[in-house]
Amino acid sequence: MPNLTLTNGQYTEICKHPLADENAISGYRAPDPNRPELIEIGLDVLNPVQPASMDPANIKKKYGDKLCFWGTIDEQYTLPFGSPQDVANEVKLRLEIVGYNGGLILAPTFRTTG
């Protein structure tokens, strides 16, 4: 992927696009296959990827050749309430199902709670 981050100017221009909305740009839901224009106009990182509300494997399968994914580590359950082994297991799982062939910035979805 040639550009893994958007400059503030690029982000502003994408947000002005009539097909863009804040939810799709900031990643609260994956880009809809019926809205490929978001990828065409420069969206190349989906942030955050929230495993509690999104299927990281499905998103990787649909958009892995077009987008880089940021997040995938659950901050609602695993990080605040899981054991160290639960966290290690989730990290390994995300690397296997989303990290193959690159395109993953492994991180908590937002910040931990609890």
Side-chain angles (χ1 to χ4, degrees), residues 44-47 49 59-60 63-65 67-72 98 102-106:
D44 55 8
V45 177
L46 181 62
N47 175 27
V49 176
I59 293 168
K60 174 71 173 191
Y63 304 107
D65 62 331
L67 293 173
C68 178
F69 306 101
W70 186 320
T72 75
V98 184
L104 173 63
I105 301 169
L106 187 66

Side-chain angles (χ1 to χ4, degrees), residues 5-69:
T5 59
L6 297 174
T7 66
N8 286 338
Q10 290 170 319
Y11 181 85
T12 300
E13 287 304 307
I14 289 171
C15 289
K16 289 180 187 176
H17 194 280
L19 295 173
D21 63 53
E22 186 174 321
N23 287 336
I25 296 299
S26 62
Y28 291 104
R29 60 184 163 80
D32 187 299
N34 296 319
R35 297 179 68 186
E37 296 85 358
L38 292 174
I39 294 170
E40 291 172 13
I41 64 173
L43 183 71
D44 55 8
V45 177
L46 181 62
N47 175 27
V49 176
Q50 300 171 287
S53 62
M54 309 163 99
D55 179 0
N58 189 41
I59 293 168
K60 174 71 173 191
K61 183 177 179 181
K62 286 183 177 181
Y63 304 107
D65 62 331
K66 297 173 181 65
L67 293 173
C68 178
F69 306 101

